């Protein structure tokens, strides 16, 4: 049997982690730059605006060896994130993977078996790390009380060559599949027979370069990725920034809602026009509609009750001011899991 053609990985996971994390943080923060160019900054007194920008900086952290080893008797693992400020911080846990270019698959029922077109795809391995228990560790994180289930996800960049990587720097997130860990479990569980991902087995996630066709094997089942998920994540991050901005102004006693809402919408429209050139009009309209919906919710809740609502918390876990502590029954290796706190 002729073997499938396989090209050695040209880009490692750390490279993707550094660059994609930077893009998520940059584009999330760039919405504020458009507020900075609007009359909003001139409506505020003194250094109020610069003070807010300094407070709203997004950043990323990784788990340290000390956090991994913080286990009572070697049986418990605790991840401690302190949140001493009054503003709620958010947590997003990401497991980055790097893929390999494949000309086609030899699996009989594969979406990428010749003569399907296109048969070329990207192959990612998962549950291959931490003694082939990494998926089980991520599943435990996602199912932990206090953690939003979709805030724990795989990141599959659909880029396999250095030349392609270099050409897409600054736009990597639009060529990346973000897959909540439990979505793989959920879609596998409804197959006949159920496809359960257990410890001890390495699995493959195969996807077309456009991210539309996907499948999972050791078992073989077609996976249906959420095509708008990166826009949904960005929508949530922008709404968080709006929530924080308005609460900051209210705390500073400079808050007259009507003065700022229309200017925020104007800045949103400029942001979408100039920063989202990689996506089609449907995607742009989706983000604008969702953010505007949150702004309308602000109006409806603030005017009668003087309450600024909390932004969505679907892909991000809110860290309470007393901090977040996660405990697990057995010692696990978290060193390859990246978490973003912002």
């Amino acid at each position: 049997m002729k073997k499938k053609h396989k090209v050695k990985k040209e880009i490692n996971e750390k490279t993707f982690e550094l660059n994609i994390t930077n893009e998520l943080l940059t584009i999330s923060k760039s919405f504020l730059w458009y507020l900075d160019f609007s009359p909003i900054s001139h409506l505020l007194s003194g250094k109020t605006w610069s003070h807010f920008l300094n407070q709203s900086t997004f950043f990323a952290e990784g788990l340290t060896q000390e956090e991994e080893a913080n286990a009572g008797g070697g049986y418990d693992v605790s991840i401690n994130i302190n949140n001493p400020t009054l503003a709620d911080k958010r947590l997003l846990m990401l497991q980055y993977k790097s893929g390999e270019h494949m000309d086609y698959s030899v699996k009989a029922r594969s979406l990428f078996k010749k003569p399907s077109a296109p048969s070329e795809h990207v192959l990612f391995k998962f549950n291959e790390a931490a003694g082939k228990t990494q998926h089980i560790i991520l599943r435990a994180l996602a199912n932990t009380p206090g953690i939003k289930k979709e805030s724990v996800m795989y990141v599959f960049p659909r880029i396999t060559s250095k030349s392609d990587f270099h050409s897409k720097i600054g736009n990597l997130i639009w060529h990346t599949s973000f897959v909540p860990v439990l979505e793989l479990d959920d879609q596998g569980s409804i197959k006949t027979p159920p496809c359960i991902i257990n410890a001890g087995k390495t699995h493959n996630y195969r996807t077309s370069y456009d991210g539309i066709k996907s499948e999972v094997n050791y078992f073989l089942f077609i996976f249906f990725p959420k095509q708008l998920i990166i826009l949904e994540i960005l929508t949530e991050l922008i709404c968080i920034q709006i929530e924080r901005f308005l609460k900051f102004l209210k705390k500073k006693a400079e808050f007259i809602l009507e003065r700022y809402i229309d200017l925020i919408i104007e800045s949103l429209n400029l942001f979408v026009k100039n920063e989202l050139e990689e996506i089609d009009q449907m995607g742009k309209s989706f983000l604008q509609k969702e953010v505007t919906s949150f702004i309308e919710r602000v109006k409806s809740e603030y005017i009668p009750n003087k309450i600024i609502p909390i932004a969505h918390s679907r892909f991000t876990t809110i860290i309470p001011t007393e901090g977040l502590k996660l405990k697990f029954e057995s010692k696990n290796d978290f060193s390859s899991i990246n978490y973003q706190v912002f």
Side-chain angles (χ1 to χ4, degrees):
M1 177 184 294
K2 183 181 177 181
K3 291 190 176 180
K4 54 193 173 181
H5 178 57
K6 175 178 169 181
V7 177
K8 184 179 178 181
K9 290 183 183 179
E10 293 188 24
I11 313 162
N12 61 36
E13 291 172 4
K14 178 59 69 174
T15 299
F16 281 126
E17 176 186 324
L18 292 172
N19 287 277
I20 292 176
T21 297
N22 180 62
E23 284 188 17
L24 280 172
L25 301 181
T26 299
I27 197 167
S28 301
K29 182 70 179 288
S30 65
F31 170 68
L32 295 180
W33 302 338
Y34 286 87
L35 294 181
D36 193 23
F37 286 112
S38 81
I40 283 178
S41 59
H42 304 295
L43 289 173
L44 304 176
S45 62
K47 297 182 178 179
T48 300
W49 176 246
S50 60
H51 186 202
F52 170 72
L53 288 179
N54 290 334
Q55 281 194 354
S56 65
T57 301
F58 286 10
F59 61 95
E61 293 183 350
L63 297 175
T64 66
Q65 292 295 325
E66 289 75 16
E67 285 170 320
E68 294 172 55
N70 185 16
Y75 299 105
D76 296 319
V77 173
S78 298
I79 303 170
N80 298 290
I81 302 169
N82 295 320
N83 184 20
T85 65
L86 293 176
D88 288 334
K89 289 188 175 69
R90 303 286 187 117
L91 173 67
L92 179 60
M93 298 186 184
L94 304 173
Q95 178 60 60
Y96 287 86
K97 296 292 181 182
S98 61
E100 304 166 70
H101 171 83
M102 308 295 288
D103 287 338
Y104 57 89
S105 171
V106 298
K107 289 187 172 288
R109 295 183 293 115
S110 174
L111 295 172
F112 305 102
K113 182 177 174 61
K114 285 187 174 181
S116 66
S119 62
E120 289 187 333
H121 62 283
V122 189
L123 173 92
F124 300 90
K125 294 188 180 298
F126 69 97
N127 204 44
E128 84 287 12
K132 296 185 179 180
T133 64
Q134 189 178 63
H135 185 82
I136 285 70
I137 295 169
L138 291 166
R139 177 193 293 152
L141 277 172
N143 282 319
T144 300
I147 295 292
K148 291 292 182 178
K149 295 183 181 300
E150 291 184 279
S151 69
V152 183
M153 65 180 69
Y154 287 109
V155 182
F156 296 125
R158 303 185 304 272
I159 299 166
T160 54
S161 71
K162 283 188 177 179
S163 60
D164 194 27
F165 172 78
H166 292 151
S167 72
K168 290 182 169 65
I169 287 289
N171 293 298
L172 297 173
I173 61 172
W174 309 115
H175 304 277
T176 299
S177 297
F178 293 81
V179 179
V181 167
L182 294 187
E183 187 68 22
L184 290 171
D185 289 333
D186 291 344
Q187 291 196 29
S189 67
I190 62 175
K191 305 301 179 182
T192 305
C195 300
I196 309 300
I197 300 170
N198 294 317
K201 298 288 186 183
T202 295
H203 296 260
N204 295 327
Y205 181 88
R206 300 175 187 264
T207 185
S208 54
Y209 276 91
D210 60 11
I212 294 175
K213 294 198 305 182
S214 301
E215 67 184 27
V216 176
N217 39 61
Y218 180 77
F219 311 106
L220 180 59
F221 67 87
I222 296 174
F223 180 78
F224 298 95
K226 298 176 179 178
Q227 297 299 325
L228 293 176
I229 190 168
I230 183 58
L231 289 172
E232 292 175 319
I233 293 170
L234 289 176
T235 294
E236 187 164 314
L237 297 180
I238 290 170
C239 289
I240 292 167
Q241 292 283 31
I242 293 172
E243 174 205 341
R244 288 179 175 173
F245 175 54
L246 296 178
K247 286 183 174 178
F248 176 83
L249 294 183
K250 184 181 179 183
K251 183 181 175 185
K252 291 287 185 180
E254 298 190 26
F255 186 60
I256 302 174
L257 183 117
E258 291 76 9
R259 298 176 70 187
Y260 299 103
I261 289 298
D262 289 341
L263 293 174
I264 289 175
I265 293 176
E266 288 177 14
S267 297
L268 171 68
N269 294 336
L270 285 173
F271 166 81
V272 170
K273 178 182 177 181
N274 296 325
E275 300 297 327
L276 304 184
E277 295 178 347
E278 288 288 313
I279 65 173
D280 58 23
Q281 187 56 47
M282 185 179 72
K284 293 178 181 179
S285 297
F286 170 83
L287 188 143
Q288 285 174 302
K289 179 181 176 182
E290 293 298 307
V291 176
T292 302
S293 175
F294 173 69
I295 292 173
E296 292 299 323
R297 185 156 63 92
V298 170
K299 288 182 181 179
S300 65
E301 295 188 26
Y302 183 79
I303 291 174
N305 304 313
K306 302 302 179 185
I307 294 173
I308 298 170
I310 296 174
H312 306 309
S313 178
R314 176 182 166 194
F315 300 104
T316 57
T317 293
I318 297 175
I319 305 172
T321 53
E322 65 272 18
L324 180 66
K325 187 172 185 179
L326 310 178
K327 294 186 71 68
F328 302 92
E329 294 180 357
S330 59
K331 179 170 171 51
N332 295 313
D333 179 11
F334 290 90
S335 59
S336 63
I337 299 172
N338 176 276
Y339 66 86
Q340 289 185 206
V341 180
F342 53 90

